Amino acid sequence: MNGLFGGVPRRPARGRRAQALIDSAAWAGALVLCSALRLGSDGAAWWRLIPLVPLVVLAQLAAGTVFGLYRGRWVFGSVEEVTAVAKSFLLAGTGLLVVDAAIASDRPLPISVVLAGGTMAVLIMVGVRFGWRMDYDRQLRKRLQNRAVERVIVFGAGSGGRAALKAMFVDPESAYLAVALLDDDPHMRGVTTHGVKVVGDRHDMARAAEEFNATAVVIAVPSASSSLVLELSELGTKANLSVRVLPSVRELLQGGGVRVVDIREPTERDLMGRHSIEIDLDQAASFLQGKRVLVTGAGGSIGSELCRQISRFEPAELLMVDRDESALHAVQLSIKGRALLDTPDLVLLDIRDRDRVRQLFLERRPQVVFHAAALKHLPLLEAHPVEGFKTNVWGSLAVLEAAHASDVECFVNISTDKAADPCSILGYSKRVAEGLTAGLDDHSSGRFLSVRFGNVLGSRGSFLTAFQKQLEFGGPLTVTHPDVTRFFMTVEEAVQLVLQAGAIGQGGRVLVLDMGEPVNIAEVAEQLAQSVKPPCPIEFVGLRRGEKLHEELFGVAESPSRTAHPLIRSVGVPALDGDSVRHFPTTISPERAARVLVDLCNDMRHELDASDPDQIPHTWRAVAGGS
């Protein structure tokens, strides 16, 4: 069979037969040569050698067939085939030694001849294979050089870079020819891989591009951080190189390794950061398997991914609660492949309806609850604080008290980094929800905890979605401030850590996910703007009311402590009693709702001076002195 097998060539049947003959000849020739060197012209000894040669040849053919050498099982010249060569050699050689030793009265060959001959034979067998493979690679490289392919510099001489080079060279249809390697590790300077040499570090990109006539750079670091991708993209653009990247580690694992078709232009997720997330699957499974699990806000970005991942752990029942019927349709379709909306696992319910929430919990008796329902768009909540108060505070309290009444074993409140030293209605309302969660933990037999993290890539209404639409219309890309930074993580990564946090979290605490380094939004916008022709303009519109220039995961008064997971830390949160928010009328005014949220957070964090207007959200400074 000709062509590709796993990206590298296999020998045709005729070639495999020829290789069997070469292996046989290697054994025979090695034994004869070593015998001549050891025995000289002893004719009797030579006659005793004759029956052993066909014996070891037959043993090699049989062993090689058993281990797949002559059946086309292994890629020719691969590590796997060399391993099979070693196994067949050991089996055939051991058989020869046994036969030679068994004839003790008149041993045909000295043991030194058998050992030396076997060593020579296996070196010949392996050498022929590597020689053929090197010749194949040289021919393939020559064909690539004669084709209209893109000459690329590969950044990263580690495992990712080696895999990328291999993919380029073994694929006859490759559109890329690697001409140089770059790596920041000074110990890699001068190292050659697949015929390509490391010629410098990232700062040598422009020089290498000119010297090797390259037109593109491939960032071959699957675990690259956003800052690295951004910096290399900027250096590539300055060197007039188009930028390509390898997929993330997660994508490569899902795809089974690096292929040429995987090399692509950077996406928003590449520019926003990659995280290597590992969770204890057994711990998560024991936490969820066989349990009745309820998720509020199941149709949202976080809630829907929670439902998808929870369903894989075989819960006894998964209740998906949301007030948006279309969102429930979408999440059920993504999990089950069908969505008739007639199953009891879907619950159409607004968490503001306290009586219905309580009824649902008492009837269905969930054991584990993930509370992801919330209003989250900061500018809208600044304009409509009452809605934030009703959903994020009263709604959360309704779910918390229903969970307490139904003896929930574990309650996980999904919070946000904006709750750390809040300065917006969103931040204040979520901070109050953290306090209410801690307050219920003091009176419940189960664990009630919160999980706090930053922005989620690709969530509905995120700025990335806006950027994509703005690019489609030709711009401009709107950015609030040149220096604004945010934490980002993919929804899959965030939910994995949420599940881990739920498994290990201590009640009454806030578990904070490690979001990596904050990302400069303007730099991301610049890279996206340069990705289209002509480049898209960028417009700075200024920070909106309640927005911070830099988000923080921890408040200034919070002291994080380690947990059992390296990417999860824990902080204490003052408890709030439900009575502190329950008695306000449903017709509460916007000013009163904002004032209540500020005062509640003041009670939780004494260092915040409510009398200082600078500490109050911009929208509500006028009510700083009143109630």
Side-chain angles (χ1 to χ4, degrees):
M1 183 183 75
N2 291 306
L4 294 177
F5 180 74
V8 272
R10 291 200 309 176
R11 294 289 281 177
R14 184 173 58 186
R16 296 197 294 272
R17 289 193 293 270
Q19 192 58 52
L21 292 175
I22 291 173
D23 291 347
S24 301
W27 263 112
L31 286 178
V32 169
L33 179 59
C34 290
S35 297
L37 295 174
R38 176 68 173 80
L39 302 174
S41 58
D42 186 347
W46 280 96
W47 279 108
R48 292 194 299 270
L49 172 66
I50 291 176
L52 292 181
V53 171
L55 178 65
V56 75
V57 166
L58 289 174
Q60 173 64 37
L61 293 176
T65 301
V66 168
F67 293 118
L69 284 176
Y70 313 129
R71 290 187 291 157
R73 181 182 297 177
W74 309 114
V75 174
F76 199 73
S78 67
V79 173
E80 292 81 6
E81 191 190 39
V82 170
T83 302
V85 168
K87 290 178 180 179
S88 63
F89 151 72
L90 289 173
L91 187 58
T94 301
L96 178 60
L97 282 172
V98 170
V99 172
D100 185 53
I103 313 175
S105 59
D106 190 16
R107 175 175 287 177
L109 293 174
I111 191 171
S112 60
V113 171
V114 177
L115 295 176
T119 302
M120 183 179 296
V122 75
L123 289 175
I124 294 172
M125 288 187 279
V126 172
V128 167
R129 285 167 168 80
F130 278 137
W132 179 88
R133 190 58 188 276
M134 291 175 64
D135 182 65
Y136 176 87
D137 289 345
R138 281 195 297 268
Q139 293 181 27
L140 181 58
R141 186 175 180 85
K142 187 178 296 185
R143 289 198 299 271
L144 286 173
Q145 289 174 333
N146 293 332
R147 286 175 48 205
V149 294
E150 193 166 14
R151 298 172 63 86
V152 300
I153 296 170
V154 176
F155 180 86
S159 58
R162 292 193 297 271
L165 291 175
K166 181 179 178 181
M168 292 178 193
F169 289 141
V170 301
D171 188 349
E173 303 302 319
S174 173
Y176 304 101
L177 173 65
V179 294
L181 275 166
L182 296 176
D183 197 288
D184 288 338
D185 185 351
H187 296 99
M188 298 297 293
R189 186 68 61 90
V191 172
T192 299
T193 303
H194 291 281
V196 184
K197 187 176 181 180
V198 178
V199 298
D201 57 23
R202 72 180 73 182
H203 304 294
D204 297 306
M205 191 178 296
R207 175 187 59 80
E210 182 177 357
E211 180 179 347
F212 293 94
N213 195 28
T215 57
V217 58
V218 175
I219 303 172
V221 186
S223 59
S225 64
S226 60
S227 58
L228 177 60
V229 175
L230 284 166
E231 182 178 352
L232 293 175
S233 298
E234 184 178 354
L235 290 172
T237 301
K238 289 181 179 178
N240 295 320
L241 298 172
S242 57
V243 180
R244 305 284 188 271
V245 296
L246 285 190
S248 65
V249 173
R250 174 187 296 273
E251 294 172 281
L252 291 179
L253 289 175
Q254 292 174 342
V258 178
R259 300 168 298 171
V260 172
V261 294
D262 293 324
I263 299 172
R264 53 168 168 74
E265 293 184 352
T267 64
E268 294 89 344
R269 292 193 175 196
D270 297 316
L271 297 173
M272 301 307 291
R274 298 165 170 182
H275 304 266
S276 180
I277 304 298
E278 294 183 3
I279 68 169
D280 187 333
L281 293 176
D282 292 335
Q283 198 171 49
S286 63
F287 167 54
L288 298 169
Q289 193 172 29
K291 299 293 182 66
R292 296 183 300 277
V293 184
L294 182 147
V295 179
T296 70
S301 303
I302 294 294
S304 60
E305 182 61 25
L306 271 169
C307 292
R308 282 187 287 272
Q309 293 198 28
I310 291 170
S311 66
R312 299 170 190 159
F313 290 100
E314 301 178 350
E317 186 177 28
L318 175 58
L319 298 175
M320 296 176 281
V321 180
D322 205 292
R323 67 177 183 177
D324 185 337
E325 57 183 350
S326 297
L328 286 176
H329 179 276
V331 68
Q332 187 180 53
L333 185 64
S334 70
I335 294 174
K336 299 186 176 180
R338 54 181 296 179
L340 299 180
L341 303 180
D342 58 356
T343 53
D345 59 337
L346 296 186
V347 181
L348 189 63
L349 172 67
D350 191 330
I351 63 169
R352 295 180 178 185
D353 190 335
R354 182 181 176 187
D355 292 336
R356 279 212 60 211
V357 170
R358 184 180 180 86
Q359 180 185 7
L360 171 68
F361 273 71
L362 292 176
E363 288 179 355
R364 307 298 286 271
R365 293 286 176 175
Q367 295 165 285
V368 180
V369 174
F370 291 92
H371 176 44
L375 295 179
K376 65 176 185 178
H377 291 288
L378 186 149
L380 280 175
L381 292 187
E382 287 295 301
H384 305 282
V386 174
E387 300 305 307
F389 188 87
K390 288 181 177 180
T391 295
N392 296 354
V393 177
W394 276 343
S396 295
L397 180 60
V399 178
L400 282 163
E401 292 185 330
H404 169 66
S406 58
D407 298 318
V408 163
E409 297 174 8
C410 180
F411 186 101
V412 180
N413 168 51
I414 306 300
S415 190
T416 171
D417 58 356
K418 293 169 180 61
D421 288 343
C423 67
S424 64
I425 296 300
L426 172 58
Y428 281 114
S429 62
K430 296 298 283 184
R431 178 65 171 171
V432 168
E434 290 180 355
L436 292 172
T437 303
L440 258 295
D441 182 76
D442 291 339
H443 304 92
S444 300
S445 58
R447 293 180 297 126
F448 283 66
L449 58 109
S450 298
V451 179
R452 184 192 298 170
F453 51 93
N455 298 275
V456 172
L457 288 176
S459 61
R460 290 185 299 181
S462 71
F463 84 94
L464 285 179
T465 305
F467 277 176
Q468 291 166 351
K469 290 296 183 182
Q470 289 171 343
L471 285 174
E472 291 175 8
F473 287 103
L477 299 183
T478 54
V479 181
T480 56
H481 191 282
D483 298 323
V484 68
T485 63
R486 293 291 182 266
F487 292 101
F488 284 94
M489 183 178 282
T490 67
V491 63
E492 298 86 358
E493 294 163 344
V495 166
Q496 285 183 43
L497 288 179
V498 167
L499 295 180
Q500 184 73 70
I504 67 175
Q506 178 183 350
R509 305 279 291 180
V510 175
L511 275 71
V512 185
L513 307 187
D514 186 340
M515 302 291 295
E517 294 298 320
V519 175
N520 184 287
I521 305 302
E523 291 180 359
V524 175
E526 179 64 30
Q527 291 301 321
L528 293 176
Q530 295 297 324
S531 68
V532 296
K533 302 298 181 185
C536 181
I538 296 176
E539 180 181 341
F540 293 101
V541 297
L543 290 172
R544 295 170 295 185
R545 294 181 304 193
E547 282 190 323
K548 296 179 181 179
L549 188 62
H550 307 293
E551 296 286 5
E552 298 292 341
L553 292 169
F554 303 98
V556 293
E558 292 179 333
S559 300
S561 58
R562 296 182 181 275
T563 69
H565 195 284
L567 296 182
I568 302 174
R569 285 176 287 179
S570 173
V571 296
V573 54
L576 277 180
D577 189 277
D579 289 339
S580 61
V581 298
R582 189 182 293 112
H583 64 277
F584 294 102
T586 56
T587 56
I588 187 173
S589 68
E591 293 82 2
R592 178 61 171 159
R595 181 71 264 172
V596 167
L597 291 174
V598 172
D599 287 343
L600 287 170
C601 288
N602 285 343
D603 293 338
M604 296 173 65
R605 192 187 59 189
H606 298 295
E607 68 273 14
L608 178 61
D609 183 4
S611 64
D612 182 356
D614 291 335
Q615 305 277 3
I616 305 299
H618 295 76
T619 314
W620 309 109
R621 283 182 179 171
V623 300
S627 61

